[in-house]
């Protein structure tokens, strides 16, 4: 037995990117501890960061390709045989129906993968498929739309300067569980505690979440009414003369339009609908405006609701009106050491309604249709019916609205390829499963997460364990699949990568020949090197000899910190006139729909989702140490609502919506706002044909069975996962047992 060694790396599971010490020997992880020397996280990790070894050693992990045989079963095959079958399947669909019959779904996991994150865009461009689906339209699309229309770029999303703010509003977010979203910050709870020492933290949420323990005030709000509360805050800012445009005075347009819109929404008009006291809303507006440095952070709960674009737009408006946009201690833009391809200005314009879905005539938004459209586009016969699907790093059978219909539709496909290292509820339907790498088998330097980080830091880690010798890299998998969709058959991925790299080098302003000579090996390493070299502190391939490159960063395993965010509006806004548009017509035209909601009767109960620090959507539930213990897939319900519904703590309740029904254990708790019930997202591991032995024992129920596919935020198409009207009644079955013995 060899002595233990320590491998230094970052956790790749969320925006926190915490530094880890991975203690290992004889090809096994023995222990994972926080790296106290990490320049970024300084010794902080959450429970998820300790289980990368479990995920690597998971006996259920797919390590060899799976190909469906003549008997209909998925069986292990060689990589050559798997690619041959992919080419046969995709080529068959293309030849028979055209490339428009093929689509792709990109899941959240793609953004946290060293290779796939850098090649997903190339894959889509090479494939030439006309439509694409992603987890974005269940998660972030309303924020992307707001940023596209305000700043001219859908991914230039401002983030809180949490370390220097004096007053922070946290709305529709629970960073104590999620570790932040569109906010790269380790130990958010600790950071919030420091904000409280300097000033105040207010949490706006229908649940008194874990984050409330790190706040001064909990302001409950009824799901779907966040934009009403925000408009009321804007109303007070104008009505009481609290607006101060400051340094952005000559960069903002639409201020008078915002004033006119907000004039119709005083706190007294919206308070009843929001479930919030009018006086509390006025006080919040006054305190926010009075703070020297303030930030309004709104995330997933404000995005995936009926008025998600309005609720994603208004926090930036509030910050702009109070001098807290692109200002120290307010909402700022990150300045990453290595630029992200997502956030670069390549000259492409985001579009709206350039084409429409075949079945429901739904408009395209930023190149995508809502996820609720995917099932119907597969199972509805007619010209243009989808026949081929490539799923990359996602599990839409659990994450898509009306997921039961999608589950039933996937077997109708003539070609389904999953790039995934789990045989899960979605990939069990695939004709071919091409496994990805475990986190410890690949490099790590986030392509996109540093673009939303509170500081300009950088960290790189090589793989700890080598993958199997015969397996292709993940970038090669995507390149070959893209070429198959395009009708090129199986191709030499390295040759395509030279062309891809050269094009990116030219766009970055360097000579492709010089860049190719400096980085001859294809793959994500040289893309990473290119982004560092041509970033704000890069050496530009020798032009700045003292500048950074990937080799220099590799010599700093604990990372490099280049300082906090700085004001940079001139480099961020790419609207033709150079101004921030505070009142884009596509957004403001939706205010009428919001106003009409004030007149409709409220549903007796509405459903909202929740996260847990030990979960990561649907893909951390096969790790025993994370899921064992108290059952977390429960229906949280206020005592008054439980009494009215006739349900009891610990027993099963039936939760039904217009889309479906589930039976789930009840957890009566006054942490819920009356009229609102809550289920966690990402469960429902009870499907036959999966290979997740732990998750299937802790199956839980699938939240998205209850989400109607047409319940969306209109301007963005983002699914309205939160605020779903439901009924709760006692279940007919036996009392809930909750967790396996």
């Amino acid at each position: 037995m060899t002595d233990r060694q320590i491998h230094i790396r970052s956790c790749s599971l969320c925006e926190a990117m915490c530094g880890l010490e991975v203690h290992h020997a004889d090809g096994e992880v023995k222990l994972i501890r926080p790296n106290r020397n990490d320049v970024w996280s300084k010794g902080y990790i959450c429970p998820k960061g300790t289980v990368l070894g479990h995920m690597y050693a998971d006996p259920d992990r797919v390590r060899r390709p799976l190909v469906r045989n003549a008997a209909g079963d998925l069986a292990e095959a060689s990589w050559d045989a798997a690619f041959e079958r992919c080419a046969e399947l995709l080529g068959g669909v293309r030849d028979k129906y055209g490339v428009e019959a093929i689509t792709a779904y990109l899941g959240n996991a793609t953004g946290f993968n060293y290779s796939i994150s850098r090649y997903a865009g190339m894959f889509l461009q090479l494939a030439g498929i006309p439509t694409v689906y992603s987890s974005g339209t269940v998660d972030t699309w309303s924020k992307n739309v707001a940023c596209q229309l305000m700043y001219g770029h859908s991914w230039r999303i401002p983030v809180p300067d949490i370390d220097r703010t004096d007053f922070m509003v946290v709305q529709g977010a629970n960073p104590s569980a999620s570790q932040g979203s569109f906010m790269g910050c380790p130990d958010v709870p600790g950071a919030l505690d420091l904000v409280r020492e300097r000033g105040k933290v207010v949490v706006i949420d229908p649940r008194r979440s874990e984050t409330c323990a790190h706040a001064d005030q909990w302001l409950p709000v009824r799901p779907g009414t966040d934009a009403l509360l925000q408009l009321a805050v804007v109303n007070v800012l104008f009505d009481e003369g609290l607006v101060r445009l400051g340094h952005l005075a000559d960069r903002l347009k639409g201020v008078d339009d915002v004033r006119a819109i907000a004039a119709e929404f005083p706190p007294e008009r919206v308070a009843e609908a929001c479930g919030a006291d009018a006086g509390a809303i006025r006080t919040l507006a006054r305190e926010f405006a009075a703070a020297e440095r303030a930030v309004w952070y709104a995330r997933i709960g404000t995005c995936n609701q009926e008025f998600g674009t309005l609720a994603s737009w208004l926090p930036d408006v509030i910050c702009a009106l109070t001098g807290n946009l692109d200002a120290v201690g307010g909402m700022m833009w990150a300045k990453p050491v290595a630029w992200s391809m997502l956030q670069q200005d390549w000259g492409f314009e985001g579009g709206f309604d350039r084409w429409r879905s075949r079945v429901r005539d739904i408009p395209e938004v930023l190149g995508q249709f809502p996820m609720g459209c995917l099932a119907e586009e597969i199972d509805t016969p007619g010209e243009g019916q989808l026949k081929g699907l490539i799923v990359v790093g996602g599990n839409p059978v659990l994450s898509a609205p009306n997921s039961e219909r999608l589950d039933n539709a996937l077997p109708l496909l003539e070609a389904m390829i999953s790039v995934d290292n789990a045989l899960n509820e979605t990939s069990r339907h695939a004709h071919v499963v091409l496994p990805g790498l475990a986190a410890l088998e690949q490099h790590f330097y986030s392509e996109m997460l540093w673009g939303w980080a509170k500081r300009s830091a950088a960290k790189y880690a090589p793989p700890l364990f080598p993958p199997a010798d015969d397996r292709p890299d993940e970038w090669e998998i995507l390149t070959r699949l893209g070429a198959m969709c395009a009708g090129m058959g199986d191709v030499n991925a390295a040759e395509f990568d030279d062309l891809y790299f050269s094009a990116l080098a030219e766009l970055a302003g360097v000579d492709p020949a010089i860049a190719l000579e400096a980085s001859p090996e294809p793959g994500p390493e040289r893309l990473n090197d290119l982004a560092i070299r041509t970033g704000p502190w890069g050496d530009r391939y020798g032009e700045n000899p003292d500048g950074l490159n990937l080799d220099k960063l590799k010599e700093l395993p604990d990372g490099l910190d280049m300082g906090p965010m700085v004001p940079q509006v001139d480099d961020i806004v790419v609207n033709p006139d150079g101004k921030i548009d505070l009142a884009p017509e596509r957004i403001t035209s939706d205010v009428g729909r919001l106003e009409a909601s004030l007149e409709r009767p409220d549903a007796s109960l509405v459903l909202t989702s929740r996260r847990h620090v030990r979960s990561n959507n649907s893909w951390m539930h096969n790790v025993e140490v994370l899921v064992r213990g108290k059952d977390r897939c429960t229906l949280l319900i206020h005592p008054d609502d439980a009494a009215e519904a006739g349900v009891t703590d610990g027993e099963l309740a039936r939760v039904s919506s217009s889309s479906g029904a589930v039976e789930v254990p009840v957890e009566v708790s006054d942490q819920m706002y009356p009229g609102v019930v809550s289920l966690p997202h990402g469960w429902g591991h009870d499907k036959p044909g999966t290979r997740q032995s732990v998750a299937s024992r802790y199956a839980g129920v699938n939240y998205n069975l209850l989400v109607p596919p047409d319940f969306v935020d209109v301007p963005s198409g983002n699914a309205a996962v939160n605020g779903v009207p439901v009924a709760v009644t006692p279940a007919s079955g036996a009392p809930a047992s909750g967790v396996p013995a």
Side-chain angles (χ1 to χ4, degrees), residues 2 39 41 45 78 97 105 114 132 178 297 309 339 352 369 377 379 438 465 692:
T2 58
V39 301
S41 58
I45 58 171
S78 69
Y97 306 103
Y105 171 84
Y114 186 77
V132 64
S178 69
Y297 173 61
T309 299
W339 48 262
F352 302 91
F369 291 132
E377 293 293 329
D379 67 17
F465 300 122
Q692 294 192 288

Side-chain angles (χ1 to χ4, degrees), residues 17 56 95 178 180 242 261 269 282 326 377 472 475 498 514 558 565 567 594 612 650 656 665 692 707:
M17 298 180 287
Y56 169 74
D95 292 345
S178 69
L242 302 176
I261 290 169
R269 186 184 181 198
R282 287 191 176 276
D326 196 45
E377 293 293 329
W475 67 268
D498 283 346
I514 294 175
D558 296 319
M565 293 183 285
L594 176 68
H612 193 280
S656 58
Q692 294 192 288
V707 181

